[in-house]
Amino acid sequence: LALSACAHSQPRARVQFPPAYSPPVGTVVTGTASWYGPGYHGNRTSSGEVYDQDALTAAHFDWAFGTLVRVSFPQTGKSVIVRINDRFPNHKGRVIDLSRGAARAIGLIGPGTGEVRLEVVASR
């Protein structure tokens, strides 16, 4: 009886995202970035792709999949271009969630989060 009670877990609540938005090329946004990797590697992203933590990709709460974004990290003076291929809930006030590979490219791995500048370089 105790084992059968453990076998029935509550379904995970699905996050509702706003409709996808194609930002105009040249759109600039600043704010806090974070990164994600090991716990998600190999899982499906919101776009249906298999997540590769070492690819140059990112999650955004409403920018269209395929949008290319230059992410600049003033603290290190480095930047990287990422492709949006995933979603994340915007409840923590972050503007983007980078793959581990993108975070490594700009030096965000150590601090985990940091203030960045986003510039849309191509939009869908």
Side-chain angles (χ1 to χ4, degrees), residues 64-86:
F65 297 139
T67 300
L68 297 180
V69 181
R70 177 177 289 109
V71 181
S72 302
F73 189 30
Q75 185 175 330
T76 62
K78 296 180 179 181
S79 67
V80 66
I81 294 178
V82 299
R83 180 176 48 84
I84 303 298
N85 75 335
D86 207 356

Side-chain angles (χ1 to χ4, degrees), residues 7 11 17 19 25-26 34-35 39 41 46 51-52 54 57 69 73 76 79 85-86 102-103 107 114 118 120 123:
F17 294 103
V25 171
S34 55
W35 68 273
H41 186 73
S46 298
Y51 178 65
D52 177 354
D54 296 313
T57 59
V69 181
F73 189 30
T76 62
S79 67
N85 75 335
D86 207 356
L118 309 180
V120 175
S123 187

Side-chain angles (χ1 to χ4, degrees), residues 1-52:
L1 182 60
L3 289 177
S4 66
C6 293
H8 301 290
S9 62
Q10 295 293 327
R12 289 184 3 175
R14 296 204 32 97
V15 175
Q16 294 295 318
F17 294 103
Y21 167 69
S22 294
V25 171
T27 298
V28 173
V29 174
T30 58
T32 303
S34 55
W35 68 273
Y36 67 120
Y40 299 93
H41 186 73
N43 293 336
R44 294 267 173 205
T45 65
S46 298
S47 68
E49 293 178 34
V50 174
Y51 178 65
D52 177 354

Side-chain angles (χ1 to χ4, degrees), residues 32-36 88 92 94-99 103 108 112-114:
T32 303
S34 55
W35 68 273
Y36 67 120
F88 75 102
K92 293 184 179 180
R94 297 188 179 136
V95 295
I96 199 164
D97 205 7
L98 301 171
S99 66
L108 189 69
T113 62

